[in-house]
Amino acid sequence: MDGQGRPRRRTNQMERTRSAIVAAARALADSGSEIKMSVIAAEARVSEATLYRYFPDLVSLLRAAVPVADQVEVLRSMTDSDDPVERIGQAAEVLGRAVLRRQGAVRALIAATVAKPSSVKSRPAHRFALIEHALAPWIDQNGLAGHADIEQLVRDLAVVISAESLFTLIDLCGLPPDSAIASLATTARRITAAAVADASAAQGPTRAVTGRPRVEDRKITPSVDPEEA
């Protein structure tokens, strides 16, 4: 009996250790603190060697520790408009707020994938889901799915609606967090409004693109463009 109990006790201990590591990483992420493997190990009261036996790198640990909120659901709950310009601004705000809530973890994740490009596919691609959801009604209403210009618009917006651009505005441009998010939203709206106007012009006066006001009718507050910062 004792021989059978030892493996079970060892398994239980390993599960407790793993749970302690994950809990420590989650607590640090929720606090917004800087996150390093050494700090997580100290918080979990294990050695760094033990930590690396359970998680080979910071990316895999953060993926296990930080629950991924459904940001599309958040966007869906806050908008009832089909206007792509309005919706894309809201998408930028949703992502910006989510990044700020756990910016320590997000910064660590970005740094880890920059240092190890092979791990970049482990990063969640929230921005693309948000952008696609924000643009979907306009694209569907106007039969624009699969157009090269739409694919380019998504790429343009992915540069702006991103943690990297938010941190550029905060760290390098010196904007307060709320102003940085507002700048992201303004820039995203400007890019989208220009794309909508181009699509309308390309389709001609007999088939005006629906679901948005004209660019010249929309007042847009100047802001720092993350692509130029």
Side-chain angles (χ1 to χ4, degrees):
M1 292 291 293
D2 187 59
Q4 293 177 347
R6 274 196 292 269
R8 187 179 298 111
R9 286 196 297 270
R10 178 172 175 78
T11 299
N12 291 341
Q13 179 59 48
M14 291 175 66
E15 290 176 353
R16 286 194 295 271
T17 300
R18 186 183 189 282
S19 295
I21 293 169
V22 169
R26 184 178 298 127
L28 286 168
D30 289 342
S31 72
S33 304
E34 182 181 8
I35 296 181
K36 297 179 180 179
M37 294 293 267
S38 58
V39 176
I40 296 171
E43 186 74 13
R45 298 185 178 182
V46 299
S47 68
E48 283 192 62
T50 297
L51 182 64
Y52 279 104
R53 280 201 295 272
Y54 286 85
F55 297 97
D57 51 44
L58 187 58
V59 174
S60 61
L61 174 50
L62 289 177
R63 284 181 64 82
V66 180
V68 177
D70 190 339
Q71 295 178 15
V72 170
E73 280 301 316
V74 175
L75 178 59
R76 185 178 288 117
S77 70
M78 65 186 291
T79 183
D80 56 5
S81 170
D82 285 346
D83 175 8
V85 178
E86 179 182 340
R87 289 169 65 91
I88 207 68
Q90 291 170 331
E93 292 174 10
V94 168
L95 184 130
R97 298 293 174 198
V99 167
L100 288 181
R101 276 196 299 274
R102 289 194 170 108
Q103 67 169 301
V106 177
R107 288 177 182 273
L109 188 59
I110 292 172
T113 53
V114 168
K116 188 180 179 183
S118 61
S119 66
V120 73
K121 290 184 179 180
S122 299
R123 284 178 56 178
H126 297 304
R127 71 190 78 178
F128 292 104
L130 283 168
I131 292 167
E132 289 169 6
H133 180 75
L135 298 178
W138 170 63
I139 291 173
D140 292 344
Q141 289 166 11
N142 295 282
L144 298 172
H147 284 213
D149 288 345
I150 298 301
E151 294 176 358
Q152 183 60 54
L153 172 60
V154 171
R155 289 192 289 269
D156 293 344
L157 289 169
V159 175
V160 175
I161 303 177
S162 67
E164 295 91 336
S165 289
L166 183 63
F167 293 147
T168 295
L169 290 169
I170 293 172
D171 299 343
L172 301 183
C173 299
L175 292 183
D178 285 345
S179 297
I181 292 175
S183 182
L184 288 188
T186 297
T187 305
R189 290 189 186 104
R190 181 184 295 121
I191 291 170
T192 304
V196 169
D198 288 346
S200 182
Q203 292 189 338
T206 59
R207 188 185 173 203
V209 174
T210 60
R212 53 72 184 140
R214 296 179 305 161
V215 177
E216 57 268 29
D217 292 337
R218 177 176 290 273
K219 294 181 179 179
I220 299 176
T221 304
S223 67
V224 179
D225 189 334
E227 293 183 274
E228 297 176 355

